[in-house]
Amino acid sequence: MQYHFADCILDTDSYRLLRGGAQQQVEPQVFDLLRVLVENAGRLVSRDQLIETVWDGRIVSEATISARINAARNAVGDNGKAQAVIRTVPRRGIELVVPVSGAETVAPDPAPEAASSQTIRYTTSADGTQLAYARSGTGPPLLRVTHQVTHLELDWLSPLWRPTLDALGAAHQLIRYDMRATGLSESDVAVADLGRHVEDLVAVADAAGLERFPILANLNGAAPAIRYAAENPDRVSRLVIQEGYARGRALRGAKPGPAQGDPFMSLMQAGGWGDPADGHMRAWMSMGAPGLSYEDASALIAHIGAACTPEGALISRESIDRFDARPWLAGVKAPTLVIHARNDILHPLAEGRLIAAGIEGAEFLVVESANTLCLTPDPTWEQQNTAILEFLARD
């Protein structure tokens, strides 16, 4: 089970605590104490309950209990004065006071041993930006140029994202990376144009030793993938665009320009980033993934908050809203599959149609979904993954 709270993830299966995407080293008793708190979130846990569950009923001193509580606070970024996460009620007990969402860890289907692990490395883009990329799975290579907010390590642990990585990794050696300003890649960067993001793709492909390879691009990853494919026809064997767009939100509409009332920008300003209880985050998630249950949406909101800072998300959003790959559509010569959800609100079907019509011979698959993000709860998740793998297998 994974418990998401504040900017932390407590994974009781892998016995790990992550805060802000970084693993925290905690003693076994501190981990067990946190587990008791998340399992009883919003309820007061007495000292007797702690002794019974953490110390198996053995006699321990008040100083020992206090030391473990202080260590737990430090691990989750709290302290005894603020008590923003763990609250102490004198002579009564302690309580986890932040919202908690939980999701069962999904065990992947049996696969070759190499597919059950990933290796993360760094490379440097042309302008000096450090980029984190991961390699997993077995088979011919597949470069995934993905959406705005990712985190190579947290995505690997997520029951919402991991099944997709396993499905792709069962047939391919999957290469994916965190875009600049997000995840494990360098966060102290400025807004970058489409050309910079193409340079990032080049840096990762070269570092991974890829020569001729297929690309799977999601959402904002479509624009740099399209431009790269057009400029490097000798290196791109096949191209899959999943829920992608060639023009950013600032370039759409009768009067292109920064969208007024953009819900993403509103939640940035409201300060609710990563909080499952925040109305702005809920509204945004209801548009991007309306098919998720309340629990899954809560887990995904907390996951996004841990994967990227609000400052990094804003920088990347200001970049991708101005992407324009339309001048390169006609130059793509690789066989192309375009997949788009019929009822997507954030990136309407017209954006997928624009790409499919602009690339000569492209196949266009419309799926009956309203989700911008294709996660395991999506009713078309299996259909989309099957179509992708079958298209890539034609070579």
Side-chain angles (χ1 to χ4, degrees):
M1 175 74 80
Q2 286 186 349
Y3 294 94
H4 299 250
F5 61 98
D7 63 343
C8 299
I9 298 176
L10 189 76
D11 192 320
T12 57
D13 292 324
S14 64
Y15 216 76
R16 299 203 307 170
L17 172 67
L18 301 174
R19 176 161 61 88
Q23 184 169 345
Q24 307 297 306
Q25 299 300 323
V26 295
E27 297 178 1
Q29 289 177 348
V30 175
F31 187 94
D32 291 341
L33 188 152
L34 288 170
R35 181 172 185 167
V36 173
L37 288 177
V38 297
E39 289 176 346
N40 293 274
R43 296 192 296 269
L44 200 62
V45 177
S46 69
R47 295 297 178 101
D48 290 341
Q49 286 177 276
L50 289 178
I51 292 172
E52 183 65 31
T53 54
V54 177
W55 285 276
D56 296 324
R58 298 190 302 273
I59 298 175
V60 293
S61 67
E62 287 294 316
T64 297
I65 297 175
S66 295
R68 299 300 183 269
I69 293 173
N70 289 336
R73 280 199 171 101
N74 290 333
V76 300
D78 200 7
N79 59 67
K81 182 178 180 179
Q83 298 193 12
V85 180
I86 300 174
R87 179 174 71 100
T88 295
V89 179
R91 296 184 296 279
R92 297 296 182 184
I94 58 175
E95 175 189 5
L96 194 75
V97 294
V98 294
V100 175
S101 61
E104 292 289 344
T105 302
V106 178
D109 293 333
E113 183 176 353
S116 65
S117 62
Q118 67 171 354
T119 302
I120 298 175
R121 293 188 173 90
Y122 278 88
T123 188
T124 303
S125 192
D127 68 345
T129 299
Q130 292 181 335
L131 303 170
Y133 71 97
R135 190 192 305 264
S136 62
T138 58
L142 171 63
L143 178 63
R144 190 176 189 220
V145 188
T146 190
H147 54 280
Q148 177 189 359
V149 179
T150 63
H151 191 293
L152 296 176
E153 186 176 29
L154 297 184
D155 292 354
W156 187 253
L157 297 174
S158 169
L160 290 173
W161 287 116
R162 178 66 180 272
T164 298
L165 304 181
D166 284 338
L168 297 173
H172 292 271
Q173 181 182 117
L174 181 63
I175 311 296
R176 68 191 206 283
Y177 63 97
D178 291 331
M179 65 182 287
R180 55 177 61 211
T182 67
L184 295 177
S185 290
E186 186 173 350
S187 59
D188 187 18
V189 295
V191 175
D193 62 14
L194 177 59
R196 287 294 188 200
H197 286 267
V198 173
E199 292 174 350
D200 294 348
L201 190 161
V202 172
V204 171
D206 290 347
L210 304 183
E211 296 181 359
R212 183 168 172 80
F213 54 94
I215 295 177
L216 167 60
N218 308 91
L219 304 178
N220 53 272
I226 289 168
R227 178 169 169 177
Y228 179 79
E231 294 177 339
N232 299 272
D234 57 324
R235 295 192 68 178
V236 180
S237 58
R238 284 184 177 270
L239 178 62
V240 178
I241 304 295
Q242 186 181 25
E243 210 62 32
Y245 55 88
R247 56 181 180 175
R249 288 169 55 87
L251 305 180
R252 302 174 195 169
K255 296 181 179 180
Q260 296 297 318
D262 186 326
F264 192 96
M265 299 303 182
S266 296
L267 74 90
M268 292 288 95
Q269 297 166 359
W273 180 252
D275 181 2
D278 181 78
H280 291 86
M281 287 298 299
R282 282 282 169 191
W284 180 57
M285 189 58 63
S286 69
M287 290 188 290
L292 291 181
S293 67
Y294 183 90
E295 292 75 15
D296 284 340
S298 296
L300 186 57
I301 290 171
H303 177 90
I304 290 173
C308 179
T309 65
E311 294 79 15
L314 184 57
I315 288 172
S316 58
R317 183 56 180 256
E318 289 179 350
S319 301
I320 65 179
D321 273 357
R322 292 166 175 77
F323 279 179
D324 190 357
R326 288 175 292 180
W328 288 274
L329 287 172
V332 176
K333 304 304 179 186
T336 300
L337 170 64
V338 180
I339 303 175
H340 214 93
R342 184 182 304 278
N343 299 313
D344 183 4
I345 295 176
L346 295 181
H347 306 298
L349 183 61
E351 300 305 315
R353 186 183 298 116
L354 186 154
I355 296 175
I359 298 177
E360 184 177 359
E363 300 178 27
F364 192 32
L365 172 62
V366 179
V367 295
E368 300 302 325
S369 173
N371 294 316
T372 301
L373 300 173
C374 183
L375 302 167
T376 46
D378 190 301
T380 70
W381 180 84
E382 185 173 355
Q383 176 192 6
Q384 293 193 49
N385 280 284
T386 298
I388 291 169
L389 293 172
E390 288 182 350
F391 179 78
L392 295 175
R394 292 182 192 175
D395 285 341

